[in-house]
Structures are given as C-alpha cells and as structure tokens.
Amino acid sequence: MNRRSALQLGGSSVLFLGSGCLGWFQNTVRLCQIDIDITSTINSLQLRLSEREETIYEETYKIDSSDEPTNRVAIDDSDIPVNEGEFTLHGRVDGHGWKEWFLPQFADGADSISVSLSIEGSPPEFWFGYRTDVDC
C-alpha cells in the first residue's frame, strides 16, 4: 500500500467513525412551561410542539376576547413530554400562517427553558421570550 492510499483510507475512516459522534454535541433542552398572554382580538390560537419533525403536543385554544382585555394560556410540564430534545414551537392565530421558534438556539447551554409568547396588535403579532434553567 502506498502512502497516498494509506492517507485516503485513514481520512475516510476518521470521517466515517467521527460522523456518529456528531450527535454528542447537539444542543438539547427540557421545555418546562409555555405561557401565552393575548391582548389582541382573536378567535383561536393553535400551538404545536415538535421534536425532530414529530408532533408531540398540539392543541387549539378558543379565545373569547370579549371577556377580559388579557387572556392567558399556561401549559406546564404535566402536558409537555418530560424528555429533553430539540424542540420547535409553532403557533398560529385564526388559521393564518405559522410562526416557529427553534428552542435549543435560545437555551444558551441551559438544561431547561420556559417560554413566554405574547400576542398583540391588529393584525396580531407574536412576541417571543424565554427564561433558562427554570425548575421543572
């Protein structure tokens, strides 16, 4: 075996064997809570939580904006699966286009995260916030 063949074999072996280790460095987070404040006049809010393209939570909330100026929806860890993952939160109002947030990018190395959404204005807009390392 000549030197060039040995280097090619060694390089491809490192690439092949090392590809399995890439999963070790993926950022995962545990989602503990989602709080939503709604000050817009809307009829429904649809939320979907997915982990790696698989929907693990989905719910449509009917909102009666005539009751109070602010409606609140709180989803805690009893409704959210307790595993850690690479979560994407999707939200849409009254059947319009989906908005989405990839949660691990907001985790900043934290183990757990709590998300707050605010729906304001006319037409309604989403505002996203989060807290890290919350107690689940």
Side-chain angles (χ1 to χ4, degrees):
M1 181 186 296
N2 66 28
R3 182 175 180 212
R4 181 179 299 237
S5 296
L7 289 174
Q8 287 175 340
L9 178 62
S12 63
S13 297
V14 168
L15 183 61
F16 177 74
L17 294 173
S19 64
C21 299
L22 292 177
W24 291 347
F25 300 106
Q26 291 176 343
N27 192 9
T28 63
V29 66
R30 181 167 174 202
L31 178 60
C32 296
Q33 186 172 344
I34 305 169
D35 291 317
I36 304 112
D37 287 328
I38 304 164
T39 57
S40 289
T41 303
I42 66 172
N43 297 310
S44 68
L45 167 66
Q46 189 173 1
L47 286 180
R48 179 184 304 151
L49 184 64
S50 59
E51 182 192 8
R52 300 180 192 217
E53 307 290 326
E54 181 182 336
T55 299
I56 58 176
Y57 178 85
E58 185 166 6
E59 190 68 45
T60 300
Y61 299 92
K62 299 295 180 198
I63 309 298
D64 186 1
S65 298
S66 64
D67 284 348
E68 299 178 30
T70 301
N71 285 287
R72 289 196 167 85
V73 176
I75 305 159
D76 62 23
D77 61 349
S78 64
D79 292 323
I80 302 169
V82 295
N83 62 320
E84 293 184 4
E86 296 178 10
F87 296 110
T88 304
L89 178 63
H90 312 263
R92 73 177 176 173
V93 172
D94 294 337
H96 295 288
W98 288 97
K99 303 288 184 188
E100 68 178 39
W101 302 271
F102 181 64
L103 300 185
Q105 77 184 22
F106 299 104
D108 300 324
D111 293 331
S112 56
I113 188 170
S114 172
V115 170
S116 61
L117 293 176
S118 181
I119 303 171
E120 303 173 354
S122 180
E125 290 187 47
F126 282 96
W127 298 93
F128 175 85
Y130 65 95
R131 290 182 309 145
T132 58
D133 286 334
V134 293
D135 292 329
C136 294

